[in-house]
Every structure is written in structure tokens, then in C-alpha cells.
Amino acid sequence: TVVFLVGGTNPNRNDTDHEPIFRQESYFHYLFGVKEPDFVGLIHIQSGHQNTVLFIPRLPSEYATFMGAILTPDEYKDMYQVDECYYVDEVTEYLKKIQGQNGDDGCLSIMLLEGLNTDSGNMYSSESAKKFIPDELGDAIDIDTLFPLLVECRVIKSEQELQLMRHVAELSSDAHVYVMRECKPGMAEWQLESLFRHYIYFYHGCRQVSYTPICACGPNSSVLHYGHAGAPNSRQLEEADICLMDMGTEYHCYSSDITCSFPANGKFSCDQRIIYEGVLEAQRCVYAMLRPGVSWVDCHKVAEAAIIRSLLRLGALCAGDISIDDLVEERIGGIFMPHGLGHFIGIDTHDVGGYLDGYPKRSKLPGLRSLRTARIVEENMVLTVEPGCYFIDHLLDEALNNERINTYLVRSRIDELRGIGGVRLEDVVVITKDGCNNFTCCPRTVSEVEHVMAGGKWPPVKDEAPELYRSRLVK
């Protein structure tokens, strides 16, 4: 039996000769760690023994003029610590050669990767791999076995992966603190993005961000994925703005995903503080329950309950005779937090494994249907915990026009809060055998945020919020 995978390619931009910086396909990186495009990989799987083979592109001599020295198969073999290395144009002959050497009854089984990414809705197709397999080996192809196995391997992180992910989260945390310190009214959102990019590259050699930076200030902070080409972090910060900075870096293809929210002028207003502390309390409540065996859906509902309590204090909601839990079940939380509590993270920011066969299905209810997984959490899963509270006009309008739930909404107060934007706090967290460990080391309490924005020391000499499980905050 062999596992057979095709690495990523590096197409030019549209019809030009411009080559974007290549980033390896995630499954190929997971198995082989190759940083260049156009490779193919194969792993012999036998009882007690594995043999790993790489196939490299046969490059023309002109490549050396523009791109540098052309490495030999032996040099790549040493670089990537594989057992064998050949050229890509030798794949078909290699497969013919090993036919009959593996598998039961002398039959070769070729496992290809094919399956649905439940975050994007896109299929990982085996078609590019099938092109290398000769017709006489067509019956050896297996597209059913590998995908769920490899996805589950990526869900549960190894100790080496955890060390790398902690490093990426900590350096991203430092970059967020740098942005927070430099932020002033009158700056542009793109300047905050540029500060983050500069810090991670200049101080840590991170060339790639793990997703498009979201630098959303004022009303823009209620747009969940602001920062795209049509809204390119282009607003000028105003004195009373709340700033929502959702940015992460990537190092050796492993991602961080961190969000900080803070006042542009360094001091929270009364309303901003109530909203912010409600979101922070949501994180606290989740961390208090997060351990192996806990339902991620239950964590989401606990976060919603904390945010609903803050909205009651804010005067935006009126519970009447029903409980907080009843308001959660009425899906009031989905109006103000229309996204899921968080997601798996690893080689991809929204990492794989959310809705595999045999695990809980996606809910159809508002808010809950946005959860990127509904699984029971397990040790060494790494997830983001990112509760948020937003005032999004069209969701507010729909709720106010819904006779079933509008009695719980205080229209006049909600209208006053329109345009305030939103708050999100996002940490990268690993599930441990008896709880969780927070890799993110950003200022989180109101006093921490205001202290840092006033020029105070960070990291602190004492952790004032140990319930956030920032185990390496104090250095």
C-alpha cells in the first residue's frame, strides 16, 4: 500500500508572468514539509516500516539563471530527509516497478486524497494525482480511505506541532501589542496593518500572514471579514472609535489567528467597556469549562449567555420573565454574535476536521449553523476561542421586525448603539488532559489594554487574569 500525493503548483497571476509567492498545499506540507512547487510524494506503508519518496520537477538549465542553483535528487533527498528521490517524469515507471510488491496477494493499493473541506465547501480532488497513474493500475486506486484518516491526524496535534504553534501565537501576540502601542486617532487602518506586517517580518522573519488582515475601526468593526479588496482597511481612525484588529502570521505554514479590540484614544467609553467586558467574560466562561469531553456547541452557548448578560446591563435587551438560558435557546445571541465561537487551527487558519462523518452534524439554527465544528473536544486539539458582540444593521432590523423575539430587544437603545461597531477577542488555545492552555499573550482586561496604550510595560510582571490560562504571559 502506498499513499500518493501531488504538491501545490504556482500559477501566474491571470495572463501575466507575475509569480505570487508560493505557499505549499497543506496536506503535502503536513506529510513532506516541501517548500517548493510541483513536487509529488509517495509513502510506502508496511507493517513496522515506512519508506518515503519524493519526485522533483526536472528543471531547464535556464532556471539557474533566474532562480538560482538547480538541486539534484540527492540534494533534495538530504534536505527533506526522505528515503528516495527521483524526477516527476519518472513517477509512472516507479509505480509500475513497485506493482505487486505491496498489499495483500501481491496487489498494489494506491491511496489518493479526496474529500470535502467543510469550511470552504470545496472538494480536495484526486484528479491531479490520477494523471500520474498508468491505466493498468487504475483498479489499484483507493479514494475512500486516506481522507478521513489524514484529516483526523491534522486535528490532533503532535508535541512538535504544539511547540511551533505556541511560537507563532506568541510572536503574533507581540505584533498585536506593537500595533496597540502605536495606534492613535487620525491614523489610517492600513497603517495599523502595515505595522503588524512590519513587526512579524522584521523581527521574526515571517513573510506570510495567515489570512487577509482585518483592521476595522468604528462602524467597520461590525463587518466580520472587513479588509478585503472592496473594503481595504482604508478608514481614518476617529477619537471615539473602537478598533478591532484580527491579524495572524504564518511560520513554516503553521498559522496564528488573534484578535484584539481596543479604543483608538486609549480609554474605553462606558458603552464600549460594557460590551468589551461582556466579550471577555465569554472567554472566561469558556475557559472555565474547556477540557476533553466537553461539547463545542455547549461552549458556544455559554459564550452567548455571557454576551447576553452584558447586553442586558447595556440596556439593549430586556429579558422580561424568561431566563438567560431561555434567551440563548431563542437564539438571541445569534443576532449579536452571528459567527461561531471558533475553529480548528493549524496548517490552515480554518483547519480541517470540523464536520467529518461519524461526528456531530452542523446545526441549522441561527448562530449555531456558523459553528465550524460541533465536535466534542479532545486533548491536543488546537482551537481559537473568539466570542464577539456586534451591532450589524441588517441583523438588528430583521430581529426588530420579528414578532417572536422583538419583545426582548429595546429598540430605542439599540438605535443609539448603531454605528458603534463591534468587539471580538480571539485566542489560540490547546486542549490539555485536564483543561486548556492559552498560547496568546495579549493584553485582555480593560486595565491591561489601557495600561499598554498609555505606554506601560508588557509583558507584565504579574498576571492579573490567571483565569485566561496565559501560561507563558509572565516572562
Side-chain angles (χ1 to χ4, degrees):
T1 300
V2 298
V3 170
F4 185 75
L5 232 61
V6 175
T9 61
N10 196 29
N12 292 347
R13 186 175 65 192
N14 302 322
D15 64 338
T16 74
D17 63 354
H18 171 72
E19 297 181 22
I21 296 172
F22 175 70
R23 196 274 196 188
Q24 186 58 264
E25 192 281 318
S26 296
Y27 288 104
F28 200 82
H29 175 78
Y30 182 77
L31 289 181
F32 300 103
V34 170
K35 61 181 180 290
E36 298 92 348
D38 303 319
F39 276 55
V40 173
L42 182 149
I43 303 174
H44 292 264
I45 300 176
Q46 299 170 342
S47 178
H49 175 69
Q50 292 184 357
N51 192 59
T52 304
V53 186
L54 277 178
F55 298 88
I56 67 173
R58 195 185 295 271
L59 299 169
S61 58
E62 292 83 0
Y63 180 95
T65 304
F66 291 95
M67 308 296 281
I70 299 173
L71 301 185
T72 66
D74 283 342
E75 288 173 315
Y76 276 118
K77 176 176 174 288
D78 292 341
M79 178 188 297
Y80 291 119
Q81 294 294 291
V82 295
D83 300 293
E84 303 174 60
C85 188
Y86 307 101
Y87 288 106
V88 166
D89 55 27
E90 298 174 304
V91 168
T92 300
E93 289 305 313
Y94 185 89
L95 290 172
K96 290 178 180 179
K97 183 181 73 173
I98 64 172
Q99 183 179 12
Q101 294 180 1
N102 295 291
D104 297 334
D105 302 321
C107 295
L108 178 65
S109 175
I110 306 173
M111 293 199 297
L112 307 184
L113 196 65
E114 182 161 302
L116 179 68
N117 184 310
T118 57
D119 280 295
S120 66
N122 296 327
M123 286 290 294
Y124 185 105
S125 173
S126 62
E127 292 305 311
S128 61
K130 288 178 180 177
K131 293 176 181 177
F132 288 95
I133 299 172
D135 293 340
E136 59 264 36
L137 293 182
D139 290 341
I141 293 173
D142 173 2
I143 63 170
D144 299 317
T145 303
L146 182 59
F147 186 81
L149 294 176
L150 197 51
V151 167
E152 193 62 16
C153 286
R154 286 179 57 184
V155 170
I156 307 299
K157 303 300 191 283
S158 69
E159 184 57 37
Q160 291 89 346
E161 287 179 292
L162 294 177
Q163 291 175 10
L164 180 55
M165 292 192 70
R166 179 189 286 277
H167 173 70
V168 179
E170 288 181 348
L171 68 89
S172 294
S173 299
D174 292 345
H176 272 279
V177 173
Y178 179 67
V179 172
M180 195 179 292
R181 287 190 193 282
E182 297 297 320
C183 178
K184 298 290 186 296
M187 294 178 69
E189 293 166 334
W190 72 72
Q191 291 178 291
L192 303 181
E193 176 184 351
S194 73
L195 290 170
F196 184 88
R197 288 180 179 270
H198 165 73
Y199 190 95
I200 61 173
Y201 203 0
F202 187 86
Y203 291 104
H204 296 287
C206 297
R207 196 175 193 184
Q208 304 267 31
V209 290
S210 44
Y211 51 92
T212 303
I214 300 167
C215 299
C217 300
N220 293 337
S221 58
S222 67
V223 181
L224 300 186
H225 284 176
Y226 180 77
H228 56 85
N233 294 329
S234 57
R235 185 176 185 273
Q236 187 176 40
L237 278 64
E238 296 182 7
E239 181 76 18
D241 282 354
I242 195 80
C243 301
L244 188 157
M245 301 287 111
D246 186 341
M247 297 181 284
T249 190
E250 186 176 279
Y251 189 66
H252 288 287
C253 288
Y254 277 83
S255 300
S256 63
D257 187 356
I258 295 172
T259 306
C260 295
S261 297
F262 50 85
N265 63 8
K267 288 287 184 181
F268 287 94
S269 70
C270 181
D271 287 346
Q272 288 172 348
R273 180 171 185 145
I274 292 172
I275 297 166
Y276 184 93
E277 290 188 328
V279 175
L280 181 59
E281 181 62 19
Q283 281 196 319
R284 288 192 178 102
C285 291
V286 170
Y287 295 150
M289 67 184 291
L290 201 52
R291 59 182 54 83
V294 170
S295 163
W296 190 242
V297 176
D298 290 345
C299 292
H300 180 97
K301 289 181 177 180
V302 163
E304 285 187 333
I307 290 166
I308 287 171
R309 287 193 292 271
S310 72
L311 290 167
L312 289 167
R313 289 194 298 274
L314 193 62
L317 294 180
C318 176
D321 297 329
I322 71 169
S323 68
I324 299 292
D325 288 342
D326 289 334
L327 288 174
V328 170
E329 294 307 317
E330 288 283 356
R331 306 308 312 131
I332 300 301
I335 302 167
F336 298 93
M337 189 172 84
H339 58 73
L341 175 64
H343 50 81
F344 290 131
I345 183 170
I347 299 177
D348 291 312
T349 304
H350 295 159
D351 215 12
V352 294
Y355 290 100
L356 286 174
D357 289 343
Y359 292 99
K361 304 295 184 183
R362 188 187 296 271
S363 173
K364 296 181 180 179
L365 296 174
L368 297 180
R369 62 175 170 246
S370 297
L371 279 165
R372 295 184 182 272
T373 188
R375 290 178 61 161
I376 306 301
V377 300
E378 301 176 39
E379 185 177 358
N380 289 347
M381 286 180 171
V382 181
L383 304 107
T384 64
V385 176
E386 50 177 304
C389 181
Y390 318 86
F391 293 83
I392 302 171
D393 283 336
H394 80 94
L395 295 181
L396 296 173
D397 292 339
E398 290 171 10
L400 289 167
N401 291 325
N402 185 333
E403 294 183 359
R404 185 178 62 82
I405 60 174
N406 63 10
T407 55
Y408 307 125
L409 279 67
V410 181
R411 183 184 295 267
S412 59
R413 184 67 173 121
I414 285 175
D415 286 343
E416 290 174 358
L417 293 164
R418 290 178 188 266
I420 197 172
V423 166
R424 179 164 66 251
L425 298 175
E426 182 175 15
D427 294 339
V428 177
V429 175
V430 60
I431 308 301
T432 62
K433 65 180 180 180
D434 54 4
C436 66
N437 194 328
N438 189 347
F439 288 167
T440 304
C441 297
C442 292
R444 283 297 184 234
T445 68
V446 166
S447 60
E448 286 176 345
V449 171
E450 292 184 346
H451 167 77
V452 167
M453 296 196 73
K457 174 179 169 55
W458 194 265
V461 295
K462 182 180 179 181
D463 184 358
E464 70 173 50
E467 69 277 8
L468 298 180
Y469 295 97
R470 299 171 293 183
S471 62
R472 298 213 317 193
L473 176 64
V474 179
K475 300 177 182 178

